[in-house]
Amino acid sequence: MNPYQTFISNLEKAGEKLGKKPEDFEVLKTPERIIEVNFEFNGKIIRGYRVQHNSKLGPYKGGLRYHPDLNLNEAKTLAALMTIKNAIVDVPFGGAKGGLAIDPQKYSKEELKKITELFTQKIADFIGPNKDIPAPDVNTNSEIMGWIVQEYSKIVGKKMPAVVTGKDLQDGGSEGREEATGFSGADILDKTLATLNKKPEETTVAIQGFGNVGAHLARELDKRGYKVVAIAEANGGISHEDGIDIDKTFKATIKREILKNTCYCKGEKCHLKRCKIVGADNVLEQNVDVVAPAAINNQITMHNMKRIKAKIILELANNGVSAEAEEYLQKQGVMVIPDVLANAGGVTVSYFEWEQNLKKQKWTRAKVLEMLSEKMNQGWKEVFKISKDKKVSLREACYILALKKLLK
Ligand code: GLU
């Protein structure tokens, strides 16, 4: 099944559970608008997308990713997931997603800036603070968001910080936005473990990805007492049975040290430096309690599902687990905490950023994180209640909750 078909099948299952007729939610099966753009850069054609899936709950909202594998089907799927996610955490937005099918590593910063400006020109008519508000996603960041604001403001002749979220603080970004996704992933895991009577100190975690999401998840889990024993990125990673010193590792990677060349571990045996090298592929197969794919889609699939040993999967990457793998793992008693709940903290703080921009306010980090925890708690409670009452998986519960709100 391709991922968009999986989305439709999840929707249909939820509709059935709610006793809805297929025509009641037909509109959610097709994106409201698909924008595909092509432009020339240095003699080559670059392709970009913005898929605006649904606007029932408000202006379209969702990230822009720069990745060579991005295609229309993926952009459609990710846009649809944003519709579901935004409904779950009750932010007044519809769903969208897009980006460029490029490998950003192949370009200099100046080139990326130019490419981002050209892309902004192409999509300028379709975005805006009350129309569609992009944000960072895979391989995009606050600096790129700043370039979009500049270019968009130039086009409309007025400074418009609220056209995107996930900006730098000095460009109108919000306190807490950068760590929001990792922070809320940790919040959701805490609450879930509490229902299983398991304590953070007794819980080992392996994380795939040490970028904006994975690194902040690791830091937050470490702070809360979890033992993060393995982390890996595309170019390598490390594991240590006594746990990794996340702060030191985080500082080292800011200086662009490669994970496999660092071994900051914790505990008595640390001086022995028994770090093992792990790869992005086998980090998810470690013998731990929780694994968190926090990098890119399609990382737990039928190809590696039988080697997954963890009993909890915290799906921080959108579409990190394929439908086939989820079905198999669930039968083995593995709990999958789905992307649309686990990583919803990012868009939630995006909402706070947008609101601060519109009201010309600046909220403190403490206030933002408190409001974030409240929203996540609410979403989590509702999803878990549905899952328990209706005896369905957490993903099915997420779709049921979202559909209820979308069909109101
Ligand atoms: N890219 C993030 C996501 O997938 C954030 C989207 C946003 O903040 O609009 O949820």
Side-chain angles (χ1 to χ4, degrees), residues 61-63 82 85 97 135-137 165 177 318 346-347 350:
K61 182 92 191 79
M82 287 308 302
K85 191 186 302 186
K97 190 74 102 187
D137 199 78
T165 57
R177 175 62 185 86
N318 289 311
V347 73
S350 273

Side-chain angles (χ1 to χ4, degrees), residues 323-339:
E324 296 82 1
E326 180 158 338
E327 202 184 324
Y328 169 83
L329 288 163
Q330 252 152 18
K331 283 193 191 128
Q332 313 299 312
V334 176
M335 178 191 268
V336 180
I337 308 178
D339 48 7

Side-chain angles (χ1 to χ4, degrees), residues 39 66 100 110-124 144 146-148 150-152 154-155:
F39 54 89
Y66 289 180
L100 296 173
E110 289 68 38
E111 287 175 322
L112 270 186
K113 182 164 188 271
K114 186 72 209 158
I115 291 170
T116 301
E117 287 165 0
L118 293 169
F119 184 38
T120 307
Q121 290 164 18
K122 291 280 180 207
I123 59 171
I144 295 180
W147 297 336
I148 298 178
Q150 266 178 26
E151 189 60 22
Y152 183 79
K154 219 196 281 170
I155 295 167

Side-chain angles (χ1 to χ4, degrees), residues 38 92 94 133 139 152 188 196 250 283 286 307 320 339 346 373 400:
N38 292 287
I133 308 120
N139 294 337
Y152 183 79
I188 293 288
L196 304 171
F250 184 72
V283 70
Q286 301 294 304
R307 296 193 295 272
D339 48 7
S373 279
I400 291 173

